[in-house]
């Protein structure tokens, strides 16, 4: 009977170590970041077809703005410690640095050269995260970030 318990315990410990190794390998790989750049204005406009899935969320979050236009969509692959470039209108760009995960949230650094934007973000996986504030053509730019891990 002791032999059976010892064998079972050894298999259990080995299995847990194997699961831990797989989890570390998964976290170390690149993360896919889906981005949308949206121009928001206070003038009402028709709903943009590219924003159909998040239109209600945009209206709720940015209630003072009535018009939302999709500027661009892009998928970036983020690797820990490396910088990815997101194209913005008027030949600008946002730099996104992936810092890894902490407490089931992805840590990012967002900076826009030639502006005052240089902030750390905590993005929950599988939830749309909005960062707004850059002035653009009588409105603002909203960056929508979605990480699927």
């Amino acid at each position: 009977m002791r032999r059976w318990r010892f064998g079972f315990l050894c298999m259990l410990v080995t299995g847990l170590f194997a699961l831990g190794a797989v989890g570390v390998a998964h976290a170390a790989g690149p993360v896919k970041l889906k981005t949308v750049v949206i121009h928001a204005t206070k003038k009402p406009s028709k709903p943009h077809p590219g924003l159909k899935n998040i239109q209600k969320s945009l209206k709720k979050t940015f209630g003072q703005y009535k018009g939302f236009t999709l500027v661009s969509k892009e998928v970036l692959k983020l690797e820990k410690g490396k910088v990815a470039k997101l194209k913005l209108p008027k030949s600008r760009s946002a730099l996104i640095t992936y810092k890894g995960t902490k407490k089931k949230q992805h840590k990012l650094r967002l900076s826009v050269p030639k502006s005052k934007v240089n902030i750390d973000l905590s993005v929950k996986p599988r939830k749309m995260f909005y960062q707004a504030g850059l002035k653009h053509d009588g409105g603002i730019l909203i960056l929508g970030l979605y990480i699927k891990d």
Side-chain angles (χ1 to χ4, degrees), residues 11-147:
M11 286 185 0
L12 181 66
V13 170
T14 304
L16 290 175
F17 278 119
L19 284 175
V22 169
V24 170
H26 175 65
V31 173
K32 198 183 286 188
L33 175 68
K34 294 181 180 182
T35 64
V36 289
V37 179
I38 303 161
H39 181 225
T41 60
K42 295 195 177 190
K43 268 193 317 191
S45 66
K46 289 184 178 180
H48 193 282
L51 299 173
K52 183 180 178 182
N53 293 340
I54 60 172
Q55 191 73 35
K56 286 182 184 176
S57 172
L58 286 169
K59 286 181 180 180
K60 182 179 177 185
T61 307
F62 302 99
Q64 70 272 25
Y65 293 94
K66 306 298 180 203
F68 299 98
T69 307
L70 178 65
V71 176
S72 68
K73 267 186 180 182
E74 199 172 340
V75 177
L76 303 173
K77 285 190 178 179
L78 303 177
E79 293 186 43
K80 192 172 181 179
K82 300 216 175 161
V83 178
K85 191 181 278 191
L86 174 64
K87 295 175 191 169
L88 299 176
K90 296 189 177 182
S91 300
R92 294 187 288 179
S93 60
L95 304 176
I96 301 172
T97 307
Y98 183 61
K99 294 184 165 190
T101 57
K102 185 176 182 182
K103 295 184 181 178
K104 296 184 181 180
Q105 292 191 357
H106 294 272
K107 302 297 182 180
L108 306 173
R109 179 80 175 171
L110 174 69
S111 60
V112 180
K114 299 180 185 177
S115 76
K116 295 179 182 178
V117 178
N118 198 14
I119 55 173
D120 289 320
L121 307 173
S122 293
V123 179
K124 290 182 181 180
R126 299 181 186 267
K127 299 258 185 192
M128 182 60 86
F129 179 87
Y130 296 112
Q131 182 63 44
L134 288 173
K135 294 183 189 295
H136 177 70
D137 289 343
I140 62 169
L141 288 178
I142 300 169
L143 303 180
L145 308 173
Y146 182 87
I147 294 179

